[in-house]
Structure formats: C-alpha cells, structure tokens
Amino acid sequence: MRAALILITLASPATACPTGTEVFSCTIKGKLLRLCHDAGRVTYSFGPAEKPELSLSQPLDTLAFTPWPGIGSDIWETVAFPNQGYTYEVWTSATRDPESTTGLRGGGTVLQGETTVARLTCDPGTPSQSLDVIYELKEAIGQCWDFDSRSWQRVCN
C-alpha cells in the first residue's frame, strides 16, 4: 500500500506545488496547508495558495517524521519543522474501524518549546492523503524507522 501511495503522489500534477511534488495538502479556514517534496527536501507552507504566510524547508534525511507505532484505534503520522524556537507540526489520522465514516483527518499544531500555542484542523474532506508517503521517501534514501528508539536509522535490522 505504501508503494501505491508514493506512486500516486509522484504522478500528481506538477502544478500542485511551485516545484516538486505534493506530499500533503488541506485547507484550514480558507488557507492552504501544504507539504511539497523536491530535490531531497520537504517544504511546509501555510497561508494563501498564491503567497504563503510561512514557508519552511527541511532536508529529507533530517526531517522529523514520526510514523504510526502500530497500536491504538487511529492510524496517525506527524512531521515537524523547527523554526526559531517554534515547531510547526503537521499530522494526519484515520480511524482503523472499517465501519467508521470519519475518513482522513489532518491539521497543524504550533508549539513554542513544549507549549502548544495553536492547534488547527483541516476542513472536513480536504486532506489530500496521509503522511505515509514520507515514510516511503525516507526509505528511498536508505533510512529505516527503529521502533525501539523511535528514531530514523541508517543501519536497518
């Protein structure tokens, strides 16, 4: 399934992101939250689609992506972008219950240190896909997730 998600993402129109391919997007009260992948970097942007209010970029190899640990009633992932004492986190979540009608949810959290200063939720029905594709991108550059240390490694067991 992960391979299918990466193929769908890589096949998406180039116009979705100014450069590269779209990894995730949703709208939050009329503003666009978007993650793009290009040349080994993932870029976070938030604001009007034509001129985001904030844009942050991280190399894929150091990108703080936390995949779902495999337990719990929801499948979730997060990715975080640090910037001058703040962290801008993007998350997606879906209920594992096959009878649930909730669908994919997503949003953003802004932290100052450990303190949450803003929690934003994507408008219903607007999350484009889960963040699972970032898992595939990190594997493609030779990284693997170690569940014990909860970190990305270069040497996979």
Side-chain angles (χ1 to χ4, degrees):
M1 180 166 133
R2 292 182 194 262
L5 287 173
I6 196 168
L7 289 174
I8 291 168
T9 299
L10 295 176
S12 64
T15 57
C17 286
T19 61
T21 57
E22 186 176 280
V23 174
F24 173 81
S25 69
C26 76
T27 58
I28 300 173
K29 297 181 182 176
K31 295 183 178 183
L32 181 64
L33 172 61
R34 179 166 50 195
L35 300 178
C36 298
H37 173 254
D38 186 36
R41 300 185 73 80
V42 176
T43 301
Y44 164 103
S45 63
F46 181 73
E50 320 76 51
K51 189 170 169 63
E53 298 162 4
L54 180 63
S55 184
L56 305 169
S57 185
Q58 280 286 122
L60 185 56
D61 63 339
T62 60
L63 185 65
F65 172 69
T66 304
W68 177 54
I71 57 172
S73 60
D74 284 351
I75 299 170
W76 57 266
E77 300 94 11
T78 66
V79 61
F81 296 82
N83 183 44
Q84 300 178 355
Y86 289 86
T87 301
Y88 297 84
E89 183 179 85
V90 177
W91 59 271
T92 60
S93 175
T95 302
R96 291 177 61 191
D97 179 0
E99 297 191 21
S100 172
T101 58
T102 306
L104 181 64
R105 298 173 305 279
T109 305
V110 181
L111 302 155
Q112 184 176 23
E114 298 293 318
T115 304
T116 300
V117 295
R119 190 178 312 265
L120 306 169
T121 302
C122 296
D123 298 333
T126 66
S128 60
Q129 65 186 10
S130 76
L131 297 176
D132 195 47
V133 70
I134 297 175
Y135 192 98
E136 295 292 331
L137 292 170
K138 288 184 84 62
E139 281 188 330
I141 63 167
Q143 292 185 339
C144 55
W145 179 253
D146 181 75
F147 284 95
D148 293 332
S149 67
R150 297 186 45 95
S151 65
W152 288 94
Q153 308 289 320
R154 286 270 176 212
V155 178
C156 305
N157 295 330

